[in-house]
Amino acid sequence: MKLSHILLSFCGMIACVSSLEARPPTVDPTYGMKIAAIKKVARKTEPTAQWIWASRTSDIQTIYVRKMFYLKRAPRYAFLYVTADNVFTAWINGHRLGSTPPSTDDLAWMRPQDYSLAPYLHSGKNVLAIRGVNQGGAAGILAMLRANESCILVTDGSWRVLDAPSPPISWNSPAFNDNSWRKATVIAPYGKGVWGENLQGWPGSGETVSFLAHMPIPPVKVKPLMGAESISDIQSLVGTKRGDAIIKPDSSTKSAKRVILLDFGKELAGRVQVWGTAGAQVIITTGESLQECDHQEPALDNHGPFPLLLQGSQPASTPYTAFRYAEISYTGAAPIHITKAICDFKYYPVVYKGSFSCSDPLLNRLWYAGAYTAHLCMQEYIWDAPKRDRGLWIGDMQVTGQTINNAFGDHFLLERSISEVRDQAQGGRPYNELPISEVNSIPGYSAAWFCTLSDYYLHSGDKTFLKRQHAKIISLLRYLQTDFDRQDLFDNPRNTWDFCDWSPGFITDSPLARATTDMYIIWGVRKAIYLLDQLGDRSNAERFTKWTNRLVQAARTNLFDPQTNTYGDRLQENVMSVLSDTATIAQASHIYRKIIKPGGSAWIVPKGVTLADSEVMSPYYGYFVLLTMGKLHEDQDALNLLRSYWGNMLSRGTTTLWEMFDPSWPRNFTWVIDRLPYLSLCHGWSTGPTSFLSQRILGVRPTAPGYANMVIQPNLCDLRWAMGSVPTPHGIVYVKAVRINGRIKVKVSIPAGVRTKIILPGVSRLVQRKGDYSIGSK
């Protein structure tokens, strides 16, 4: 790039950005769209399935539920979607359909099963019967029956229930009289209660949400994988026009498998929809990678296989998930036509108000990959990932929230998600009472809630929203106090899942995890005290400040090792000691040089750890490492880490950022999927590079709520230039920084209502009015 291009006047900054990159390096299909032009999905009037159970709930309990329904005629196709907490077995008209698959975790209820019912339904009286078993804790059964693309039956209070260890004879047949059975008790509607909206691919998820939009996206490549000689005209499926691919019987055998591969060119959130010969059954599998499409591991990751009955001129749809690839398999004896196959892309409309561009193209790709990853996670709530878990996890949201703050400046979905995840911990109790659990049942995630709320308030300045959280802040602080022993050390008294990171020693309760959680809570409580100050609640702010001081003193006394001048020999606990200000300034400097600086012993895989579990840190904790580097002004080390860690990830062909990663992993993707079949290749907690580049390289950071005050302190490190934009409630801030003859020259555009301090080496300037400003370093 010529220097003359870089030195264009600031008034032509937007034109300069366009000349540098006609389109930024993003694969987001919604980039550049106007929200006003997006057609929202209309609300549907279909009934909502209810979680039901008997009137009482106990551990090791078995119940039986059934529902009679009538059909004027047998449907051409029908599917049952069903799940239970913990285990179900389902029958239709006395025919056993199946049960909850064996699982190594207690989250099988998150993965509903679907069954084709058309062969077992008939005109007149039919009965759906389900046995439910509760192994402990909350209990519920959830079911939906869809026929000919309409919902005809859901679990609700009209179902009959028997609470007994064994059922009467023929209880699951239409002839059985259930008049003596009681009506079922409704525990919660789908999307509420302890289960939330965490079901993977529950039919209709997102279709009734007015703030989500849909976009049909065709495959960019189509090719046969098996039985190519029996498949014709498949290239007609590329593009948006109606095609006519034909799958014929194999000449050598009537049941040979024929497979078509669809490549959509990028990670997408949505579902596969296929149009074709009515009544023909095909099998759809999806994958974020080619290898995942072929993997036969139990569907922890919601990729199928999904049996679909084609419906002629109407689409047959898989459950919602995330994928780049999809396979259509057919084993039937008769020829069939596939006229169309698309991704029904489901997304939350946003505008890219933030931007980033610099002299290193890899960093530009990283900023936009993080933003797109976060965008795909913005669904009914801000999920951890659009494939797995499709859940509301506040630890993930702490990272994703900052990406959203800096890339989109969107408030609605952050407020909705911050409130909901905290309300789930409250369990319906009044806010002035203690919650029933930690946030997400993880002690450190209670701290993450305070951090996420504080970050959001600093960026948005929404005092009204903060006031609604006031009682929740105090009750959660009181709950956290019960997590500490008489020595003011975190001791996990409830034996909860003390998760810190997907790294050996930090995955569950251990001395390492306890020390890290201890200091994470200190960090979170400090954030809570800041919020109480903002609310004018000096009494509680002072009360919890005294408690925090005791926690810090206890951590310095008991967790700090004077022999090594560190808080241990691993990254996680030392990073948290710096972020929480448990480590003194002198300690933090030594800890960085000895532990945190890349290349040290903490970055080496521990002995005896298998390669599949060899993460020194996950991308989640990589965000905290970036924050620590920024806090200690080690931004060059951070840029190097972005390139060697996240950049290594992008070099493997991904368009989004992964849940887990280690640069030592082989580049063979089959190896990764074989050992980590549940791996998510689009995970919000991996998006830390986006906010880091905006806040530390462009240097735009709020120092008062809602950007009433802010600092602009560009740090080019080894870059020749950087430019971009950051959204604020007052408008968009634009920054361009260029190194010329060893000096940094900066041009900024600042909206009205912001008091701005521009800082460069050897010089600073205070700006209090809207306008364009230039400043150079000494």
Side-chain angles (χ1 to χ4, degrees):
M1 177 177 297
K2 295 182 179 179
L3 185 61
S4 59
H5 289 172
I6 299 175
L7 298 179
L8 289 174
S9 67
F10 185 80
C11 294
M13 184 176 186
I14 302 303
C16 177
V17 171
S18 299
S19 68
L20 291 171
E21 295 174 310
R23 176 185 171 96
T26 178
V27 298
D28 192 333
T30 73
Y31 183 84
M33 290 180 63
K34 295 181 179 180
I35 288 182
I38 295 172
K39 183 179 180 180
K40 298 292 183 68
V41 175
R43 290 185 176 272
K44 294 189 176 182
T45 58
E46 289 187 341
T48 298
Q50 315 278 323
W51 288 92
I52 62 172
W53 199 252
S55 58
R56 70 176 188 95
T57 301
S58 64
D59 295 348
I60 317 302
Q61 178 188 15
T62 300
I63 70 165
Y64 302 85
V65 299
R66 49 179 275 140
K67 176 68 177 180
M68 193 81 70
F69 60 100
Y70 293 84
L71 296 173
K72 289 184 178 179
R73 62 182 63 86
R76 286 184 299 157
Y77 36 83
F79 287 95
L80 171 69
Y81 300 87
V82 58
T83 187
D85 188 355
N86 297 96
V87 178
F88 76 84
T89 303
W91 292 262
I92 186 71
N93 293 330
H95 174 82
R96 186 181 186 278
L97 297 169
S99 299
T100 302
S103 175
T104 57
D105 58 33
D106 60 354
L107 300 177
W109 59 267
M110 293 178 62
R111 302 181 283 274
Q113 302 301 303
D114 56 278
Y115 304 99
S116 176
L117 302 188
Y120 314 111
L121 296 176
H122 48 256
S123 61
K125 186 191 300 184
N126 295 264
V127 68
L128 176 58
I130 304 171
R131 178 177 63 208
V133 178
N134 181 33
Q135 297 168 342
I141 294 172
L142 187 76
M144 174 189 290
L145 198 164
R146 301 182 68 84
N148 299 342
E149 278 297 289
S150 296
C151 176
I152 64 170
L153 182 68
V154 295
T155 43
D156 58 22
S158 68
W159 283 53
R160 295 288 182 170
V161 59
L162 175 68
D163 183 358
S166 59
I169 296 174
S170 301
W171 72 280
N172 52 17
S173 72
F176 180 79
N177 187 337
D178 59 17
N179 288 340
S180 62
W181 291 20
R182 295 185 176 183
K183 288 188 175 182
T185 297
V186 173
I187 308 298
Y190 166 74
K192 300 296 183 182
V194 298
W195 304 280
E197 294 187 352
N198 295 320
L199 301 189
Q200 297 177 2
W202 186 253
S205 299
E207 291 185 25
T208 61
V209 180
S210 62
F211 55 78
L212 294 178
H214 292 246
M215 178 190 300
I217 296 182
V220 296
K221 295 179 182 178
V222 181
K223 69 176 184 179
L225 289 186
M226 296 178 63
E229 66 281 358
S230 303
I231 305 172
S232 61
D233 298 323
I234 62 171
Q235 295 308 316
S236 67
L237 299 180
V238 176
T240 57
K241 294 183 179 179
R242 181 184 175 91
D244 189 17
I246 303 173
I247 306 177
K248 300 176 182 178
D250 189 275
S251 58
S252 59
T253 171
K254 296 284 186 179
S255 61
K257 186 176 183 180
R258 284 85 80 200
V259 181
I260 296 174
L261 174 69
L262 311 176
D263 179 1
F264 293 92
K266 63 180 83 61
E267 179 93 7
L268 296 169
R271 59 184 177 176
V272 178
Q273 291 190 313
V274 181
W275 287 255
T277 302
Q281 184 176 71
V282 296
I283 303 295
I284 307 293
T285 56
T286 60
E288 294 177 302
S289 66
L290 278 170
Q291 292 78 1
E292 187 184 16
C293 266
D294 293 327
H295 206 271
Q296 299 303 312
E297 196 73 16
L300 281 171
D301 48 8
N302 196 33
H303 72 120
F306 304 115
L308 295 184
L309 284 175
L310 300 183
Q311 303 168 23
S313 61
Q314 297 298 313
S317 306
T318 69
Y320 285 102
T321 181
F323 55 92
R324 172 177 171 170
Y325 301 95
E327 291 181 3
I328 305 175
S329 302
Y330 178 63
T331 58
I336 65 168
H337 294 255
I338 304 292
T339 57
K340 192 176 182 181
I342 64 164
C343 169
D344 173 26
F345 180 59
K346 179 164 70 76
Y347 66 99
Y348 177 80
V350 295
V351 173
Y352 277 74
K353 299 175 183 176
S355 64
F356 181 83
S357 185
C358 72
S359 55
D360 185 343
L362 176 59
L363 298 181
N364 302 339
R365 286 180 60 208
L366 268 177
W367 192 95
Y368 284 97
Y372 182 51
T373 300
H375 189 199
L376 294 182
C377 294
M378 299 171 74
Q379 298 287 326
E380 287 79 2
Y381 293 95
I382 298 171
W383 287 343
D384 61 332
K387 182 184 76 170
R388 201 219 85 241
D389 298 318
R390 297 170 66 87
L392 194 56
W393 294 97
I394 191 63
D396 305 65
M397 202 190 310
Q398 182 178 354
V399 187
T400 314
Q402 281 290 62
T403 303
I404 293 169
N405 287 330
N406 286 277
F408 311 125
D410 184 84
H411 295 174
F412 167 76
L413 208 58
L414 263 171
E415 290 191 0
R416 173 177 164 88
S417 302
I418 290 169
S419 294
E420 176 64 21
V421 74
R422 177 64 183 85
D423 288 349
Q424 289 177 8
Q426 199 65 24
R429 291 181 177 177
Y431 293 133
N432 61 352
E433 296 182 8
L434 294 184
I436 63 172
S437 70
E438 310 281 0
V439 179
N440 292 133
S441 299
I442 298 173
Y445 277 22
S446 293
W449 186 77
F450 292 129
C451 294
T452 307
L453 178 60
S454 176
D455 289 340
Y456 172 69
Y457 177 63
L458 197 56
H459 281 262
S460 71
D462 191 337
K463 194 70 165 283
T464 300
F465 177 73
L466 182 61
K467 287 179 179 178
R468 294 202 299 269
Q469 313 309 311
H470 191 175
K472 302 180 193 179
I473 293 171
I474 295 170
S475 62
L476 186 57
L477 284 169
R478 289 171 49 217
Y479 188 90
L480 283 176
Q481 286 182 311
T482 67
D483 286 337
F484 288 75
D485 63 18
R486 293 182 180 181
Q487 292 180 288
D488 290 316
L489 293 172
F490 174 75
D491 69 345
N492 197 13
R494 300 175 185 85
N495 294 314
T496 53
W497 182 24
D498 188 18
F499 171 81
C500 297
D501 192 21
W502 291 126
S503 181
F506 296 96
I507 298 173
T508 189
D509 194 26
S510 70
L512 280 174
R514 289 193 183 191
T516 305
T517 296
D518 188 302
M519 292 180 281
Y520 198 174
I521 291 174
I522 291 172
W523 186 27
V525 174
R526 290 190 191 277
K527 298 284 190 179
I529 292 168
Y530 162 75
L531 296 173
L532 291 173
D533 276 330
Q534 290 293 313
L535 289 164
D537 188 349
R538 288 300 311 150
S539 175
N540 277 308
E542 291 172 3
R543 168 189 170 193
F544 289 107
T545 296
K546 292 177 181 178
W547 179 51
T548 306
N549 292 339
R550 296 201 312 270
L551 298 185
V552 171
Q553 186 58 48
R556 289 174 176 173
T557 300
N558 295 278
L559 303 181
F560 181 71
D561 183 351
Q563 300 297 317
T564 62
N565 288 323
T566 67
Y567 283 81
D569 60 1
R570 301 284 297 279
L571 279 174
Q572 284 80 353
E573 72 271 29
N574 284 287
V575 161
M576 206 50 70
S577 77
V578 176
L579 292 176
S580 66
D581 290 319
T582 300
T584 65
I585 294 175
Q587 288 173 353
S589 179
H590 177 81
I591 286 168
Y592 185 81
R593 294 192 305 272
K594 184 177 178 64
I595 302 291
I596 301 173
K597 186 177 179 65
S601 59
W603 293 84
I604 300 173
V605 176
K607 290 184 179 180
V609 175
T610 62
L611 198 56
D613 296 323
S614 66
E615 286 190 310
V616 168
M617 65 176 188
S618 71
Y620 166 55
Y621 241 81
Y623 170 71
F624 297 137
V625 172
L626 292 175
L627 290 184
T628 303
M629 290 174 167
K631 183 172 183 174
L632 299 179
H633 305 286
E634 300 287 353
D635 299 283
Q636 183 60 61
D637 282 350
L639 280 192
N640 293 339
L641 181 62
L642 290 179
R643 293 163 174 144
S644 64
Y645 185 82
W646 283 273
N648 189 317
M649 191 188 301
L650 280 185
S651 74
R652 302 180 185 222
T654 183
T655 58
T656 48
L657 302 179
W658 305 1
E659 172 192 17
M660 298 165 64
F661 181 70
D662 194 275
S664 67
W665 288 355
R667 300 185 72 83
N668 181 350
F669 216 89
T670 299
W671 180 94
V672 176
I673 294 300
D674 282 346
R675 288 155 182 80
L676 300 168
Y678 47 82
L679 180 66
S680 162
L681 300 189
C682 176
H683 226 78
W685 78 5
S686 303
T687 64
T690 301
S691 59
F692 178 85
L693 290 168
S694 294
Q695 296 195 316
R696 295 298 307 176
I697 303 306
L698 292 181
V700 181
R701 301 185 294 275
T703 54
Y707 283 87
N709 296 332
M710 75 173 176
V711 63
I712 299 178
Q713 189 177 11
N715 190 348
L716 290 181
C717 300
D718 62 3
L719 300 172
R720 291 185 293 109
W721 58 271
M723 64 171 63
S725 56
V726 176
T728 81
H730 307 277
I732 298 176
V733 176
Y734 296 95
V735 178
K736 181 172 74 169
V738 182
R739 178 181 285 108
I740 304 175
N741 297 325
R743 298 178 60 204
I744 305 297
K745 292 185 178 289
V746 173
K747 294 184 177 183
V748 301
S749 180
I750 299 170
V754 184
R755 188 173 183 267
T756 305
K757 188 174 185 180
I758 305 171
I759 303 173
L760 290 174
V763 65
S764 66
R765 180 177 178 182
L766 184 64
V767 173
Q768 302 191 65
R769 292 184 179 180
K770 173 184 178 180
D772 300 342
Y773 300 89
S774 299
I775 185 172
S777 68
K778 291 185 176 179

